[in-house]
Amino acid sequence: MPRIALATYDPGAEPVRDTDLAVLVRALGDAGAEAEARFWDDPEADWGGYDLVVIRSTWDYSWRAAEFTAWVERVGALTRLANPAPVVRWNTDKRYLGELAAAGVPTVPTRYIAPGEPAGLPDGHEFVVKPTSGAGARFAARYTPGEHDSAVRQLARMHAEGFTAMVQPYVRGIDVSGERALQFFGGRLLHASRKGAVLTPGTPYDADKVPHPDLVPWQPTGAELAVAEQALAAVPGGSGLLYARVDLVDGEDGEPRLMELELVEPNLFLWLHPASLPRVTEAILAAAEG
């Protein structure tokens, strides 16, 4: 009987946001595994006692990136970790988008501004500012060319907290066709979803945002699948992936572009795609058995 830990976060007094977690623990147990959810930062957890640790919903990691990557390295040295520690470490910093673009993957153009570097914000179009380490649209905002002062204040706040910023053009296709999330599990497409625009005009960067508004099932196009597969093929060490989410938007030419590649702790949206639960369970069991 394999022992499997699903790593999650401690919500404290807040409601648990991972609605799939209990369902997945139960499904793994019904399939013959000894499975449990554990807080990733639990000092009492014996990670080496598990056959597999699956990073599922460590959704506070971007606030504690150094601590989290140290935990990833430690667990990866003790037992089998999914995804593998080198991939997770690489994916926690969104400067990976520059690497994927250099490898020929169609991506949303991205420029990086580290602490101490000049802002140099766009003048001719709407743009987005967000941190290279972030999740759930935290510290992300959309600006017009006339809102440079507000954007500079955001940059100053982020730099003071040690974040490198990334600046992207606001992709107007999001307002028309939304953002598509293609989920892969066990090396194959699992399901896909589409959501509406997260960043609405005038919303402050430090305001709480709905990370997945108007989420609905989606049937990916051939072009979307091609970009997703190209992005995954370019991941260093990507052959060892258990799971991946590829977020795509339409560029100005109407063709899909990579917005984000989530290899750390993607929400699986199993509540929206309940038929995917058996495949996820089967793939986790296979990974636990090596």
Side-chain angles (χ1 to χ4, degrees):
M1 176 184 297
R3 295 194 70 227
I4 301 170
L6 304 181
T8 185
Y9 75 111
D10 183 354
E14 298 296 322
V16 175
R17 291 183 291 132
D18 186 357
T19 57
D20 294 333
L21 191 62
V23 173
L24 188 51
V25 168
R26 184 166 57 250
L28 287 166
D30 291 344
E34 183 182 338
E36 61 180 342
R38 297 298 299 260
F39 299 148
W40 71 269
D41 55 355
D42 181 354
E44 303 300 322
D46 177 17
W47 300 109
Y50 295 101
D51 299 293
L52 175 69
V53 176
V54 183
I55 302 174
R56 277 305 328 121
S57 48
T58 56
W59 291 340
D60 59 347
Y61 89 84
S62 65
W63 293 100
R64 307 156 63 187
E67 182 182 353
F68 179 73
T69 53
W71 173 83
V72 166
E73 296 289 354
R74 185 169 68 255
V75 175
L78 292 171
T79 189
R80 186 176 293 111
L81 178 68
N83 279 327
V87 172
V88 172
R89 184 177 61 251
W90 176 81
N91 194 234
T92 57
D93 189 325
K94 291 186 176 65
R95 279 175 282 202
Y96 68 76
L97 285 171
E99 296 182 34
L100 295 179
V105 178
T107 64
V108 174
T110 305
R111 188 168 60 85
Y112 302 95
I113 306 174
E117 295 181 345
L121 297 170
D123 287 322
H125 54 79
E126 281 189 285
F127 59 94
V128 171
V129 177
K130 55 187 176 182
T132 56
S133 178
R138 179 174 68 89
F139 275 13
R142 170 181 173 182
Y143 297 103
T144 66
E147 297 175 309
H148 275 203
D149 289 346
S150 296
V152 168
R153 285 193 293 272
Q154 176 183 346
L155 287 171
R157 166 78 181 280
M158 290 167 57
H159 287 167
E161 297 196 20
F163 290 111
T164 291
M166 50 195 295
V167 179
Q168 298 174 318
Y170 183 74
V171 182
R172 292 176 294 176
I174 296 176
D175 296 328
V176 178
S177 53
E179 181 177 331
R180 280 84 71 200
L182 278 61
Q183 303 266 9
F184 292 78
F185 220 96
R188 296 185 295 156
L189 178 71
L190 180 67
H191 55 240
S193 314
R194 183 184 68 185
K195 68 180 181 181
V198 175
L199 300 179
T200 54
T203 302
Y205 70 91
D206 52 358
D208 289 335
K209 305 173 185 74
V210 178
H212 306 292
D214 305 319
L215 195 71
V216 295
W218 176 255
Q219 182 61 45
T221 66
E224 289 169 352
L225 282 169
V227 172
E229 290 168 355
Q230 184 181 359
L232 292 174
V235 174
S239 60
L241 295 177
L242 175 63
Y243 53 84
R245 193 185 77 211
V246 185
D247 294 342
L248 303 172
V249 295
D250 289 337
E252 293 297 321
D253 58 0
E255 294 298 316
R257 297 285 184 273
L258 179 69
M259 172 70 77
E260 183 173 343
L261 183 59
E262 177 54 82
L263 308 177
V264 180
E265 30 68 282
N267 194 325
L268 297 178
F269 309 133
L270 291 176
W271 59 269
L272 184 65
H273 302 275
S276 294
L277 180 60
R279 276 191 50 198
V280 171
T281 303
E282 179 184 354
I284 291 176
L285 289 172
E289 294 166 358

